[in-house]
Amino acid sequence: MDQDELYQKILAKVIMFLAYKPRTRKEIAVRLGRYLKSEKDLDDNTKKELAEKIFNYLEENKLIDDEEFIKLFIESKTRGKSVLGKKVIQNRLMAKGISKEDATYFVDATVSEEDELNSAVKALIGRYKIVAFGGPTPSGAVEAEKYNTKDMRDHMGRFLLSRGFSYSIAKQAVDYLVKQP
């Protein structure tokens, strides 16, 4: 197989890898490294050239954009079904190859304290099936006043801390839910 055919074959694999969901540059580099490692008959210089050529193609066609990935990732983790706090979002971004500075900058710029508090309240309502703001009670839901014991308040606070919310946000969210009218 000549180098152009190999380039097309590996590029197709990388594009399929990107088709499932957005990826960071590091995630693509790791997967590309795996693809190139499986080609035993190539020397290191040829592998390096192929990798550069593939990354150039991806960048020219805007298939790889770490800033856009960060924005989409933060939005999905703060507005999705399983919401997370700033700390966990930053750690997960860093695990995906985003620098600590970029992760901190984008999370702080995107998620306000009010947004984080709303996410924490949403997480508690979903986790504990709390009925917020009155209204009809769905099956399995519990009124918030029933959670106003020290043990339950501590349990809810620990739950939020495990999701990456700060202590102050966790305390505010728990207080808000159990003291609601």
Side-chain angles (χ1 to χ4, degrees), residues 17-97:
F17 179 63
L18 285 169
Y20 296 106
K21 66 179 186 176
R23 311 282 183 162
T24 63
R25 185 176 188 85
K26 179 187 174 189
E27 290 175 305
I28 295 168
V30 168
R31 182 60 61 104
L32 181 58
R34 246 190 263 160
Y35 294 151
L36 291 172
K37 188 177 182 181
S38 68
E39 300 297 328
K40 304 281 188 215
D41 55 337
L42 293 178
D43 62 20
D44 288 341
N45 286 336
T46 307
K47 289 180 182 180
K48 195 177 273 190
E49 289 172 15
L50 273 173
E52 285 179 27
K53 193 173 175 183
I54 288 172
F55 272 113
N56 287 338
Y57 176 85
L58 295 175
E59 287 170 351
E60 287 171 8
N61 292 291
K62 298 188 183 349
L63 296 174
I64 182 172
D65 184 358
D66 280 354
E67 279 190 25
E68 186 63 26
F69 173 84
I70 294 169
K71 291 174 186 174
L72 290 171
F73 187 84
I74 292 171
E75 184 175 330
S76 73
K77 299 304 176 189
T78 56
R79 290 170 180 76
K81 187 174 182 179
S82 179
V83 295
L84 300 173
K86 286 182 176 184
K87 292 176 188 174
V88 170
I89 293 172
Q90 287 174 348
N91 288 340
R92 291 198 180 168
L93 282 170
M94 289 187 295
K96 292 183 175 291

Side-chain angles (χ1 to χ4, degrees), residues 9-22:
K9 174 185 161 190
I10 293 176
L11 180 62
K13 285 183 178 182
V14 170
I15 290 173
M16 288 299 295
F17 179 63
L18 285 169
Y20 296 106
K21 66 179 186 176

Side-chain angles (χ1 to χ4, degrees), residues 157-171:
R158 285 192 305 273
F159 167 73
L160 290 175
L161 291 173
S162 74
R163 287 287 188 89
F165 293 98
S166 68
Y167 175 79
S168 64
I169 293 291
K171 183 170 178 7

Side-chain angles (χ1 to χ4, degrees), residues 66-67 70 74 93 98-107:
D66 280 354
E67 279 190 25
I70 294 169
I74 292 171
L93 282 170
I98 304 299
S99 71
K100 183 176 183 176
E101 296 78 24
D102 285 347
T104 303
Y105 171 77
F106 280 102
V107 169

